[in-house]
Amino acid sequence: MSSSDASPIAVPAAANVEDHPVRFLFENTFARLPEYFYVRLDPTPVAAPHLVKLNRELARSLALDPDELASPQGVEILAGNRVAEGAEPLALAYSGHQFGHFVPRLGDGRANLLGEVVGHDGVRYDIQLKGSGPTPFSRGGDGRAALGPVLREYIVSEAMAALGVPTTRALAAVTTGERVLRDTALPGAVLTRVAASHLRVGTFQYFAIRGDTEATRILADYAISRHYPEVAQATQPYKALLDGVIARQARLIAQWMLLGFIHGVMNTDNTSISGETIDYGPCAFMEAYHPATVFSSIDHGGRYAYGNQPRAALWNLARLAETLLPVMVGEAGSEEAAVAAANESLAAFEPQFEAARYSGLRLKLGLSTEHEGDSALAESLLQCMADNRADFTLTFRRLCDAAAGAEGDAGIRTRFADPAAYDTWAAQWRERLQKEPADQQARATAMRRVNPLFIPRNHLVEEALDAASRRQDFQPFEELLKVLSQPYEDRQDLERYAMPARPEESVLQTFCGT
């Protein structure tokens, strides 16, 4: 990921913005759907846009010119003050279950989908402004975003991309020169977000709750065309669509679990049809491992605790299956057959998730082959970590050193409240490693490819957000992004980025920002 200057770039009042045409080469398809799928409207202009960060590497991969985006005209487009040629700004309609409670009309209350571009990889991507002003879906909100949450999403989404997790991406962050009122007045900002699409389980729910089977069919056909073209010719394409979404979500949640990531707001409107991680609000990475860990300030009952995420994902997928039942009836032959088909699809989630999770755990433990008892070995380590408040990321990373030789145990033992508990487990682990074909150094190298050293630790994220919001100092933000862009690489003089928070630094709650 390339860095822009740490200091914000102002758009000069007298700049001739026509001197730097910005070419997005939009090829919009969602805007061709019936207009009750969205509301057409332009972003609301802001007072004084400043470019905080431009993701130049991502821009180039999308066939965009980063110098054009950083020009005065480009910054005006990223702030919502100017509509780019070929853009068709609109706010998407969707519903959603929020913490189990259904809201029939949510939609993009503070976002504008500008259009779609096709990257160098041949994949179609949405370009969306988040925090770009009120829409008919705002439900009384101001439609704006504060700088802190914008930078949080930028940091965490780009970290997830570097970790190899399917995710929306951050193309740019722009300050607005205006204040937004939350608990206090905060500097405003706009995030430019890139996604394979913004279709959600809640998008399907929006039409299903209205009994609009034809709209559901149109949406399902669009999702197949855009994300699952291989199922178009299937005997039962709508069941195959459901199967595809379930498979991607199973793999995605397994990746979250293998990295200690907690989404925080796994509502159906935050569950992507494309299988990407979307909507980074009160998200966080665990430090001390425990399945019941919660950071979100609004998750009072722990519905979306770390260990509950697989169950929450399956619940959301069941809601998707419900919306697809009316269109599955025709291909299944009857309502009874459609329900049976949907239940068959949903039953596949748990084995697919467990297979992905245990496959990942074996790699994290240096096990390239599969033997009976491997899952029990992995679970016993996790239980030992939970009992001893061991840091999730560092425990697995230090195992890479221990795999190269018993002298590496010293770096792990001190992370356990009872070091002898680790010793007991390590003896079983080393006995299992004797069945592996690779030598110690090769095993350690392979383990370092799947066990990151650097994650967006909460106290470091908050440190960067505080400096930016309070002092307009973006250097900590830039430095953190640079470290997180290579999460698996050992680098000198960066120990503070790898270490868990000291007690006085701990961040125990994260906030949504809306």
Side-chain angles (χ1 to χ4, degrees), residues 474-496:
F474 295 93
Q475 195 60 39
F477 166 73
E478 288 282 352
E479 291 173 353
L480 182 56
L481 277 179
K482 185 176 181 180
V483 171
L484 295 174
S485 68
Q486 295 179 293
Y488 297 100
E489 301 299 322
D490 279 304
R491 282 162 287 168
Q492 293 183 342
D493 303 322
L494 295 177
E495 185 179 8
R496 69 179 292 262

mmCIF file with all atom_site columns, all heavy atoms in Angstrom, residues 474-496:
data_model
loop_
_atom_site.group_PDB
_atom_site.id
_atom_site.type_symbol
_atom_site.label_atom_id
_atom_site.label_alt_id
_atom_site.label_comp_id
_atom_site.label_asym_id
_atom_site.label_entity_id
_atom_site.label_seq_id
_atom_site.pdbx_PDB_ins_code
_atom_site.Cartn_x
_atom_site.Cartn_y
_atom_site.Cartn_z
_atom_site.occupancy
_atom_site.B_iso_or_equiv
_atom_site.pdbx_formal_charge
_atom_site.auth_seq_id
_atom_site.auth_comp_id
_atom_site.auth_asym_id
_atom_site.auth_atom_id
_atom_site.pdbx_PDB_model_num
ATOM 1   N N   . PHE A 1 474 ? -1.589 13.258  11.491 1.00 0.00 ? 474 PHE A N   1
ATOM 2   C CA  . PHE A 1 474 ? -1.874 12.003  10.803 1.00 0.00 ? 474 PHE A CA  1
ATOM 3   C C   . PHE A 1 474 ? -0.672 11.075  10.716 1.00 0.00 ? 474 PHE A C   1
ATOM 4   O O   . PHE A 1 474 ? -0.751 10.004  10.105 1.00 0.00 ? 474 PHE A O   1
ATOM 5   C CB  . PHE A 1 474 ? -2.407 12.299  9.399  1.00 0.00 ? 474 PHE A CB  1
ATOM 6   C CG  . PHE A 1 474 ? -3.733 13.004  9.404  1.00 0.00 ? 474 PHE A CG  1
ATOM 7   C CD1 . PHE A 1 474 ? -3.787 14.389  9.361  1.00 0.00 ? 474 PHE A CD1 1
ATOM 8   C CD2 . PHE A 1 474 ? -4.914 12.291  9.498  1.00 0.00 ? 474 PHE A CD2 1
ATOM 9   C CE1 . PHE A 1 474 ? -5.018 15.048  9.385  1.00 0.00 ? 474 PHE A CE1 1
ATOM 10  C CE2 . PHE A 1 474 ? -6.140 12.936  9.514  1.00 0.00 ? 474 PHE A CE2 1
ATOM 11  C CZ  . PHE A 1 474 ? -6.190 14.322  9.469  1.00 0.00 ? 474 PHE A CZ  1
ATOM 12  N N   . GLN A 1 475 ? 0.427  11.451  11.367 1.00 0.00 ? 475 GLN A N   1
ATOM 13  C CA  . GLN A 1 475 ? 1.612  10.617  11.299 1.00 0.00 ? 475 GLN A CA  1
ATOM 14  C C   . GLN A 1 475 ? 1.409  9.248   11.958 1.00 0.00 ? 475 GLN A C   1
ATOM 15  O O   . GLN A 1 475 ? 1.798  8.224   11.384 1.00 0.00 ? 475 GLN A O   1
ATOM 16  C CB  . GLN A 1 475 ? 2.815  11.331  11.914 1.00 0.00 ? 475 GLN A CB  1
ATOM 17  C CG  . GLN A 1 475 ? 4.156  10.708  11.572 1.00 0.00 ? 475 GLN A CG  1
ATOM 18  C CD  . GLN A 1 475 ? 4.432  10.699  10.073 1.00 0.00 ? 475 GLN A CD  1
ATOM 19  O OE1 . GLN A 1 475 ? 4.109  11.651  9.373  1.00 0.00 ? 475 GLN A OE1 1
ATOM 20  N NE2 . GLN A 1 475 ? 5.011  9.612   9.581  1.00 0.00 ? 475 GLN A NE2 1
ATOM 21  N N   . PRO A 1 476 ? 0.806  9.160   13.158 1.00 0.00 ? 476 PRO A N   1
ATOM 22  C CA  . PRO A 1 476 ? 0.556  7.830   13.734 1.00 0.00 ? 476 PRO A CA  1
ATOM 23  C C   . PRO A 1 476 ? -0.333 6.957   12.842 1.00 0.00 ? 476 PRO A C   1
ATOM 24  O O   . PRO A 1 476 ? -0.120 5.746   12.744 1.00 0.00 ? 476 PRO A O   1
ATOM 25  C CB  . PRO A 1 476 ? -0.128 8.147   15.074 1.00 0.00 ? 476 PRO A CB  1
ATOM 26  C CG  . PRO A 1 476 ? 0.371  9.519   15.427 1.00 0.00 ? 476 PRO A CG  1
ATOM 27  C CD  . PRO A 1 476 ? 0.467  10.240  14.120 1.00 0.00 ? 476 PRO A CD  1
ATOM 28  N N   . PHE A 1 477 ? -1.306 7.562   12.194 1.00 0.00 ? 477 PHE A N   1
ATOM 29  C CA  . PHE A 1 477 ? -2.172 6.840   11.254 1.00 0.00 ? 477 PHE A CA  1
ATOM 30  C C   . PHE A 1 477 ? -1.353 6.283   10.096 1.00 0.00 ? 477 PHE A C   1
ATOM 31  O O   . PHE A 1 477 ? -1.471 5.104   9.739  1.00 0.00 ? 477 PHE A O   1
ATOM 32  C CB  . PHE A 1 477 ? -3.253 7.806   10.764 1.00 0.00 ? 477 PHE A CB  1
ATOM 33  C CG  . PHE A 1 477 ? -4.039 7.347   9.561  1.00 0.00 ? 477 PHE A CG  1
ATOM 34  C CD1 . PHE A 1 477 ? -4.979 6.333   9.660  1.00 0.00 ? 477 PHE A CD1 1
ATOM 35  C CD2 . PHE A 1 477 ? -3.849 7.956   8.323  1.00 0.00 ? 477 PHE A CD2 1
ATOM 36  C CE1 . PHE A 1 477 ? -5.713 5.924   8.548  1.00 0.00 ? 477 PHE A CE1 1
ATOM 37  C CE2 . PHE A 1 477 ? -4.580 7.563   7.212  1.00 0.00 ? 477 PHE A CE2 1
ATOM 38  C CZ  . PHE A 1 477 ? -5.507 6.548   7.325  1.00 0.00 ? 477 PHE A CZ  1
ATOM 39  N N   . GLU A 1 478 ? -0.497 7.112   9.530  1.00 0.00 ? 478 GLU A N   1
ATOM 40  C CA  . GLU A 1 478 ? 0.346  6.679   8.410  1.00 0.00 ? 478 GLU A CA  1
ATOM 41  C C   . GLU A 1 478 ? 1.293  5.556   8.830  1.00 0.00 ? 478 GLU A C   1
ATOM 42  O O   . GLU A 1 478 ? 1.469  4.557   8.111  1.00 0.00 ? 478 GLU A O   1
ATOM 43  C CB  . GLU A 1 478 ? 1.157  7.866   7.874  1.00 0.00 ? 478 GLU A CB  1
ATOM 44  C CG  . GLU A 1 478 ? 0.345  8.890   7.121  1.00 0.00 ? 478 GLU A CG  1
ATOM 45  C CD  . GLU A 1 478 ? 0.024  8.434   5.710  1.00 0.00 ? 478 GLU A CD  1
ATOM 46  O OE1 . GLU A 1 478 ? 0.558  7.405   5.270  1.00 0.00 ? 478 GLU A OE1 1
ATOM 47  O OE2 . GLU A 1 478 ? -0.766 9.123   5.044  1.00 0.00 ? 478 GLU A OE2 1
ATOM 48  N N   . GLU A 1 479 ? 1.905  5.712   9.991  1.00 0.00 ? 479 GLU A N   1
ATOM 49  C CA  . GLU A 1 479 ? 2.875  4.713   10.447 1.00 0.00 ? 479 GLU A CA  1
ATOM 50  C C   . GLU A 1 479 ? 2.203  3.381   10.730 1.00 0.00 ? 479 GLU A C   1
ATOM 51  O O   . GLU A 1 479 ? 2.747  2.311   10.397 1.00 0.00 ? 479 GLU A O   1
ATOM 52  C CB  . GLU A 1 479 ? 3.602  5.238   11.690 1.00 0.00 ? 479 GLU A CB  1
ATOM 53  C CG  . GLU A 1 479 ? 4.534  6.422   11.388 1.00 0.00 ? 479 GLU A CG  1
ATOM 54  C CD  . GLU A 1 479 ? 5.120  7.046   12.641 1.00 0.00 ? 479 GLU A CD  1
ATOM 55  O OE1 . GLU A 1 479 ? 4.696  6.638   13.764 1.00 0.00 ? 479 GLU A OE1 1
ATOM 56  O OE2 . GLU A 1 479 ? 5.964  7.937   12.516 1.00 0.00 ? 479 GLU A OE2 1
ATOM 57  N N   . LEU A 1 480 ? 1.015  3.435   11.323 1.00 0.00 ? 480 LEU A N   1
ATOM 58  C CA  . LEU A 1 480 ? 0.292  2.203   11.616 1.00 0.00 ? 480 LEU A CA  1
ATOM 59  C C   . LEU A 1 480 ? -0.101 1.493   10.316 1.00 0.00 ? 480 LEU A C   1
ATOM 60  O O   . LEU A 1 480 ? 0.042  0.271   10.197 1.00 0.00 ? 480 LEU A O   1
ATOM 61  C CB  . LEU A 1 480 ? -0.937 2.498   12.468 1.00 0.00 ? 480 LEU A CB  1
ATOM 62  C CG  . LEU A 1 480 ? -1.778 1.294   12.912 1.00 0.00 ? 480 LEU A CG  1
ATOM 63  C CD1 . LEU A 1 480 ? -0.949 0.281   13.675 1.00 0.00 ? 480 LEU A CD1 1
ATOM 64  C CD2 . LEU A 1 480 ? -2.966 1.757   13.759 1.00 0.00 ? 480 LEU A CD2 1
ATOM 65  N N   . LEU A 1 481 ? -0.593 2.252   9.343  1.00 0.00 ? 481 LEU A N   1
ATOM 66  C CA  . LEU A 1 481 ? -0.944 1.654   8.059  1.00 0.00 ? 481 LEU A CA  1
ATOM 67  C C   . LEU A 1 481 ? 0.256  0.968   7.421  1.00 0.00 ? 481 LEU A C   1
ATOM 68  O O   . LEU A 1 481 ? 0.134  -0.125  6.853  1.00 0.00 ? 481 LEU A O   1
ATOM 69  C CB  . LEU A 1 481 ? -1.476 2.726   7.102  1.00 0.00 ? 481 LEU A CB  1
ATOM 70  C CG  . LEU A 1 481 ? -2.942 3.121   7.210  1.00 0.00 ? 481 LEU A CG  1
ATOM 71  C CD1 . LEU A 1 481 ? -3.244 4.216   6.201  1.00 0.00 ? 481 LEU A CD1 1
ATOM 72  C CD2 . LEU A 1 481 ? -3.859 1.926   6.973  1.00 0.00 ? 481 LEU A CD2 1
ATOM 73  N N   . LYS A 1 482 ? 1.404  1.607   7.503  1.00 0.00 ? 482 LYS A N   1
ATOM 74  C CA  . LYS A 1 482 ? 2.609  1.046   6.890  1.00 0.00 ? 482 LYS A CA  1
ATOM 75  C C   . LYS A 1 482 ? 2.985  -0.281  7.539  1.00 0.00 ? 482 LYS A C   1
ATOM 76  O O   . LYS A 1 482 ? 3.324  -1.257  6.857  1.00 0.00 ? 482 LYS A O   1
ATOM 77  C CB  . LYS A 1 482 ? 3.763  2.037   6.994  1.00 0.00 ? 482 LYS A CB  1
ATOM 78  C CG  . LYS A 1 482 ? 5.024  1.599   6.274  1.00 0.00 ? 482 LYS A CG  1
ATOM 79  C CD  . LYS A 1 482 ? 6.099  2.669   6.345  1.00 0.00 ? 482 LYS A CD  1
ATOM 80  C CE  . LYS A 1 482 ? 7.358  2.222   5.603  1.00 0.00 ? 482 LYS A CE  1
ATOM 81  N NZ  . LYS A 1 482 ? 8.418  3.269   5.668  1.00 0.00 ? 482 LYS A NZ  1
ATOM 82  N N   . VAL A 1 483 ? 2.912  -0.342  8.863  1.00 0.00 ? 483 VAL A N   1
ATOM 83  C CA  . VAL A 1 483 ? 3.234  -1.581  9.578  1.00 0.00 ? 483 VAL A CA  1
ATOM 84  C C   . VAL A 1 483 ? 2.245  -2.680  9.200  1.00 0.00 ? 483 VAL A C   1
ATOM 85  O O   . VAL A 1 483 ? 2.632  -3.818  8.911  1.00 0.00 ? 483 VAL A O   1
ATOM 86  C CB  . VAL A 1 483 ? 3.219  -1.348  11.102 1.00 0.00 ? 483 VAL A CB  1
ATOM 87  C CG1 . VAL A 1 483 ? 3.321  -2.675  11.851 1.00 0.00 ? 483 VAL A CG1 1
ATOM 88  C CG2 . VAL A 1 483 ? 4.352  -0.421  11.508 1.00 0.00 ? 483 VAL A CG2 1
ATOM 89  N N   . LEU A 1 484 ? 0.957  -2.341  9.165  1.00 0.00 ? 484 LEU A N   1
ATOM 90  C CA  . LEU A 1 484 ? -0.080 -3.343  8.930  1.00 0.00 ? 484 LEU A CA  1
ATOM 91  C C   . LEU A 1 484 ? -0.120 -3.822  7.483  1.00 0.00 ? 484 LEU A C   1
ATOM 92  O O   . LEU A 1 484 ? -0.749 -4.842  7.186  1.00 0.00 ? 484 LEU A O   1
ATOM 93  C CB  . LEU A 1 484 ? -1.444 -2.766  9.317  1.00 0.00 ? 484 LEU A CB  1
ATOM 94  C CG  . LEU A 1 484 ? -1.626 -2.444  10.806 1.00 0.00 ? 484 LEU A CG  1
ATOM 95  C CD1 . LEU A 1 484 ? -2.958 -1.748  11.030 1.00 0.00 ? 484 LEU A CD1 1
ATOM 96  C CD2 . LEU A 1 484 ? -1.525 -3.699  11.655 1.00 0.00 ? 484 LEU A CD2 1
ATOM 97  N N   . SER A 1 485 ? 0.554  -3.115  6.586  1.00 0.00 ? 485 SER A N   1
ATOM 98  C CA  . SER A 1 485 ? 0.553  -3.527  5.183  1.00 0.00 ? 485 SER A CA  1
ATOM 99  C C   . SER A 1 485 ? 1.382  -4.789  4.960  1.00 0.00 ? 485 SER A C   1
ATOM 100 O O   . SER A 1 485 ? 1.245  -5.447  3.926  1.00 0.00 ? 485 SER A O   1
ATOM 101 C CB  . SER A 1 485 ? 1.076  -2.396  4.292  1.00 0.00 ? 485 SER A CB  1
ATOM 102 O OG  . SER A 1 485 ? 2.456  -2.173  4.518  1.00 0.00 ? 485 SER A OG  1
ATOM 103 N N   . GLN A 1 486 ? 2.229  -5.161  5.926  1.00 0.00 ? 486 GLN A N   1
ATOM 104 C CA  . GLN A 1 486 ? 3.026  -6.387  5.841  1.00 0.00 ? 486 GLN A CA  1
ATOM 105 C C   . GLN A 1 486 ? 2.917  -7.136  7.174  1.00 0.00 ? 486 GLN A C   1
ATOM 106 O O   . GLN A 1 486 ? 3.866  -7.205  7.952  1.00 0.00 ? 486 GLN A O   1
ATOM 107 C CB  . GLN A 1 486 ? 4.482  -6.065  5.531  1.00 0.00 ? 486 GLN A CB  1
ATOM 108 C CG  . GLN A 1 486 ? 4.689  -5.439  4.153  1.00 0.00 ? 486 GLN A CG  1
ATOM 109 C CD  . GLN A 1 486 ? 6.154  -5.124  3.902  1.00 0.00 ? 486 GLN A CD  1
ATOM 110 O OE1 . GLN A 1 486 ? 6.750  -4.263  4.544  1.00 0.00 ? 486 GLN A OE1 1
ATOM 111 N NE2 . GLN A 1 486 ? 6.735  -5.834  2.947  1.00 0.00 ? 486 GLN A NE2 1
ATOM 112 N N   . PRO A 1 487 ? 1.750  -7.699  7.452  1.00 0.00 ? 487 PRO A N   1
ATOM 113 C CA  . PRO A 1 487 ? 1.491  -8.251  8.787  1.00 0.00 ? 487 PRO A CA  1
ATOM 114 C C   . PRO A 1 487 ? 2.279  -9.508  9.120  1.00 0.00 ? 487 PRO A C   1
ATOM 115 O O   . PRO A 1 487 ? 2.424  -9.846  10.294 1.00 0.00 ? 487 PRO A O   1
ATOM 116 C CB  . PRO A 1 487 ? -0.009 -8.548  8.755  1.00 0.00 ? 487 PRO A CB  1
ATOM 117 C CG  . PRO A 1 487 ? -0.316 -8.775  7.308  1.00 0.00 ? 487 PRO A CG  1
ATOM 118 C CD  . PRO A 1 487 ? 0.583  -7.832  6.569  1.00 0.00 ? 487 PRO A CD  1
ATOM 119 N N   . TYR A 1 488 ? 2.809  -10.207 8.114  1.00 0.00 ? 488 TYR A N   1
ATOM 120 C CA  . TYR A 1 488 ? 3.489  -11.475 8.362  1.00 0.00 ? 488 TYR A CA  1
ATOM 121 C C   . TYR A 1 488 ? 5.013  -11.343 8.372  1.00 0.00 ? 488 TYR A C   1
ATOM 122 O O   . TYR A 1 488 ? 5.708  -12.338 8.589  1.00 0.00 ? 488 TYR A O   1
ATOM 123 C CB  . TYR A 1 488 ? 3.080  -12.499 7.292  1.00 0.00 ? 488 TYR A CB  1
ATOM 124 C CG  . TYR A 1 488 ? 1.603  -12.832 7.311  1.00 0.00 ? 488 TYR A CG  1
ATOM 125 C CD1 . TYR A 1 488 ? 0.727  -12.239 6.397  1.00 0.00 ? 488 TYR A CD1 1
ATOM 126 C CD2 . TYR A 1 488 ? 1.075  -13.718 8.242  1.00 0.00 ? 488 TYR A CD2 1
ATOM 127 C CE1 . TYR A 1 488 ? -0.631 -12.531 6.411  1.00 0.00 ? 488 TYR A CE1 1
ATOM 128 C CE2 . TYR A 1 488 ? -0.280 -14.018 8.269  1.00 0.00 ? 488 TYR A CE2 1
ATOM 129 C CZ  . TYR A 1 488 ? -1.125 -13.421 7.351  1.00 0.00 ? 488 TYR A CZ  1
ATOM 130 O OH  . TYR A 1 488 ? -2.471 -13.717 7.378  1.00 0.00 ? 488 TYR A OH  1
ATOM 131 N N   . GLU A 1 489 ? 5.523  -10.118 8.147  1.00 0.00 ? 489 GLU A N   1
ATOM 132 C CA  . GLU A 1 489 ? 6.962  -9.925  8.000  1.00 0.00 ? 489 GLU A CA  1
ATOM 133 C C   . GLU A 1 489 ? 7.597  -9.413  9.288  1.00 0.00 ? 489 GLU A C   1
ATOM 134 O O   . GLU A 1 489 ? 7.148  -8.412  9.847  1.00 0.00 ? 489 GLU A O   1
ATOM 135 C CB  . GLU A 1 489 ? 7.251  -8.939  6.863  1.00 0.00 ? 489 GLU A CB  1
ATOM 136 C CG  . GLU A 1 489 ? 6.713  -9.370  5.508  1.00 0.00 ? 489 GLU A CG  1
ATOM 137 C CD  . GLU A 1 489 ? 7.314  -10.676 5.032  1.00 0.00 ? 489 GLU A CD  1
ATOM 138 O OE1 . GLU A 1 489 ? 8.532  -10.878 5.265  1.00 0.00 ? 489 GLU A OE1 1
ATOM 139 O OE2 . GLU A 1 489 ? 6.586  -11.495 4.450  1.00 0.00 ? 489 GLU A OE2 1
ATOM 140 N N   . ASP A 1 490 ? 8.667  -10.080 9.741  1.00 0.00 ? 490 ASP A N   1
ATOM 141 C CA  . ASP A 1 490 ? 9.457  -9.571  10.864 1.00 0.00 ? 490 ASP A CA  1
ATOM 142 C C   . ASP A 1 490 ? 10.227 -8.343  10.404 1.00 0.00 ? 490 ASP A C   1
ATOM 143 O O   . ASP A 1 490 ? 10.873 -8.372  9.352  1.00 0.00 ? 490 ASP A O   1
ATOM 144 C CB  . ASP A 1 490 ? 10.456 -10.631 11.346 1.00 0.00 ? 490 ASP A CB  1
ATOM 145 C CG  . ASP A 1 490 ? 9.809  -11.648 12.268 1.00 0.00 ? 490 ASP A CG  1
ATOM 146 O OD1 . ASP A 1 490 ? 9.226  -11.240 13.278 1.00 0.00 ? 490 ASP A OD1 1
ATOM 147 O OD2 . ASP A 1 490 ? 9.891  -12.847 11.954 1.00 0.00 ? 490 ASP A OD2 1
ATOM 148 N N   . ARG A 1 491 ? 10.151 -7.272  11.190 1.00 0.00 ? 491 ARG A N   1
ATOM 149 C CA  . ARG A 1 491 ? 10.911 -6.066  10.870 1.00 0.00 ? 491 ARG A CA  1
ATOM 150 C C   . ARG A 1 491 ? 11.470 -5.469  12.152 1.00 0.00 ? 491 ARG A C   1
ATOM 151 O O   . ARG A 1 491 ? 10.860 -5.550  13.212 1.00 0.00 ? 491 ARG A O   1
ATOM 152 C CB  . ARG A 1 491 ? 10.012 -5.047  10.159 1.00 0.00 ? 491 ARG A CB  1
ATOM 153 C CG  . ARG A 1 491 ? 9.773  -5.372  8.681  1.00 0.00 ? 491 ARG A CG  1
ATOM 154 C CD  . ARG A 1 491 ? 8.571  -4.634  8.146  1.00 0.00 ? 491 ARG A CD  1
ATOM 155 N NE  . ARG A 1 491 ? 7.329  -5.202  8.641  1.00 0.00 ? 491 ARG A NE  1
ATOM 156 C CZ  . ARG A 1 491 ? 6.139  -4.612  8.522  1.00 0.00 ? 491 ARG A CZ  1
ATOM 157 N NH1 . ARG A 1 491 ? 6.053  -3.427  7.954  1.00 0.00 ? 491 ARG A NH1 1
ATOM 158 N NH2 . ARG A 1 491 ? 5.054  -5.192  8.988  1.00 0.00 ? 491 ARG A NH2 1
ATOM 159 N N   . GLN A 1 492 ? 12.622 -4.877  12.038 1.00 0.00 ? 492 GLN A N   1
ATOM 160 C CA  . GLN A 1 492 ? 13.309 -4.341  13.217 1.00 0.00 ? 492 GLN A CA  1
ATOM 161 C C   . GLN A 1 492 ? 12.632 -3.065  13.709 1.00 0.00 ? 492 GLN A C   1
ATOM 162 O O   . GLN A 1 492 ? 12.000 -2.331  12.946 1.00 0.00 ? 492 GLN A O   1
ATOM 163 C CB  . GLN A 1 492 ? 14.775 -4.054  12.885 1.00 0.00 ? 492 GLN A CB  1
ATOM 164 C CG  . GLN A 1 492 ? 15.605 -5.296  12.600 1.00 0.00 ? 492 GLN A CG  1
ATOM 165 C CD  . GLN A 1 492 ? 17.068 -4.960  12.344 1.00 0.00 ? 492 GLN A CD  1
ATOM 166 O OE1 . GLN A 1 492 ? 17.415 -3.823  12.059 1.00 0.00 ? 492 GLN A OE1 1
ATOM 167 N NE2 . GLN A 1 492 ? 17.925 -5.967  12.455 1.00 0.00 ? 492 GLN A NE2 1
ATOM 168 N N   . ASP A 1 493 ? 12.774 -2.822  14.993 1.00 0.00 ? 493 ASP A N   1
ATOM 169 C CA  . ASP A 1 493 ? 12.353 -1.578  15.644 1.00 0.00 ? 493 ASP A CA  1
ATOM 170 C C   . ASP A 1 493 ? 10.838 -1.358  15.597 1.00 0.00 ? 493 ASP A C   1
ATOM 171 O O   . ASP A 1 493 ? 10.373 -0.217  15.698 1.00 0.00 ? 493 ASP A O   1
ATOM 172 C CB  . ASP A 1 493 ? 13.065 -0.370  15.014 1.00 0.00 ? 493 ASP A CB  1
ATOM 173 C CG  . ASP A 1 493 ? 14.576 -0.502  15.072 1.00 0.00 ? 493 ASP A CG  1
ATOM 174 O OD1 . ASP A 1 493 ? 15.088 -1.010  16.082 1.00 0.00 ? 493 ASP A OD1 1
ATOM 175 O OD2 . ASP A 1 493 ? 15.239 -0.117  14.092 1.00 0.00 ? 493 ASP A OD2 1
ATOM 176 N N   . LEU A 1 494 ? 10.064 -2.426  15.472 1.00 0.00 ? 494 LEU A N   1
ATOM 177 C CA  . LEU A 1 494 ? 8.608  -2.281  15.446 1.00 0.00 ? 494 LEU A CA  1
ATOM 178 C C   . LEU A 1 494 ? 7.944  -3.093  16.552 1.00 0.00 ? 494 LEU A C   1
ATOM 179 O O   . LEU A 1 494 ? 6.764  -3.436  16.460 1.00 0.00 ? 494 LEU A O   1
ATOM 180 C CB  . LEU A 1 494 ? 8.060  -2.717  14.086 1.00 0.00 ? 494 LEU A CB  1
ATOM 181 C CG  . LEU A 1 494 ? 8.481  -1.874  12.879 1.00 0.00 ? 494 LEU A CG  1
ATOM 182 C CD1 . LEU A 1 494 ? 7.919  -2.476  11.590 1.00 0.00 ? 494 LEU A CD1 1
ATOM 183 C CD2 . LEU A 1 494 ? 8.033  -0.424  13.022 1.00 0.00 ? 494 LEU A CD2 1
ATOM 184 N N   . GLU A 1 495 ? 8.680  -3.391  17.604 1.00 0.00 ? 495 GLU A N   1
ATOM 185 C CA  . GLU A 1 495 ? 8.157  -4.263  18.654 1.00 0.00 ? 495 GLU A CA  1
ATOM 186 C C   . GLU A 1 495 ? 6.889  -3.714  19.287 1.00 0.00 ? 495 GLU A C   1
ATOM 187 O O   . GLU A 1 495 ? 5.975  -4.476  19.622 1.00 0.00 ? 495 GLU A O   1
ATOM 188 C CB  . GLU A 1 495 ? 9.222  -4.487  19.730 1.00 0.00 ? 495 GLU A CB  1
ATOM 189 C CG  . GLU A 1 495 ? 8.784  -5.496  20.792 1.00 0.00 ? 495 GLU A CG  1
ATOM 190 C CD  . GLU A 1 495 ? 9.858  -5.739  21.843 1.00 0.00 ? 495 GLU A CD  1
ATOM 191 O OE1 . GLU A 1 495 ? 10.873 -5.014  21.831 1.00 0.00 ? 495 GLU A OE1 1
ATOM 192 O OE2 . GLU A 1 495 ? 9.663  -6.643  22.666 1.00 0.00 ? 495 GLU A OE2 1
ATOM 193 N N   . ARG A 1 496 ? 6.801  -2.405  19.434 1.00 0.00 ? 496 ARG A N   1
ATOM 194 C CA  . ARG A 1 496 ? 5.623  -1.829  20.087 1.00 0.00 ? 496 ARG A CA  1
ATOM 195 C C   . ARG A 1 496 ? 4.340  -2.133  19.318 1.00 0.00 ? 496 ARG A C   1
ATOM 196 O O   . ARG A 1 496 ? 3.251  -2.215  19.894 1.00 0.00 ? 496 ARG A O   1
ATOM 197 C CB  . ARG A 1 496 ? 5.775  -0.318  20.275 1.00 0.00 ? 496 ARG A CB  1
ATOM 198 C CG  . ARG A 1 496 ? 5.749  0.504   18.987 1.00 0.00 ? 496 ARG A CG  1
ATOM 199 C CD  . ARG A 1 496 ? 5.892  1.992   19.308 1.00 0.00 ? 496 ARG A CD  1
ATOM 200 N NE  . ARG A 1 496 ? 4.751  2.509   20.002 1.00 0.00 ? 496 ARG A NE  1
ATOM 201 C CZ  . ARG A 1 496 ? 3.740  3.175   19.395 1.00 0.00 ? 496 ARG A CZ  1
ATOM 202 N NH1 . ARG A 1 496 ? 3.763  3.369   18.086 1.00 0.00 ? 496 ARG A NH1 1
ATOM 203 N NH2 . ARG A 1 496 ? 2.726  3.642   20.090 1.00 0.00 ? 496 ARG A NH2 1
#
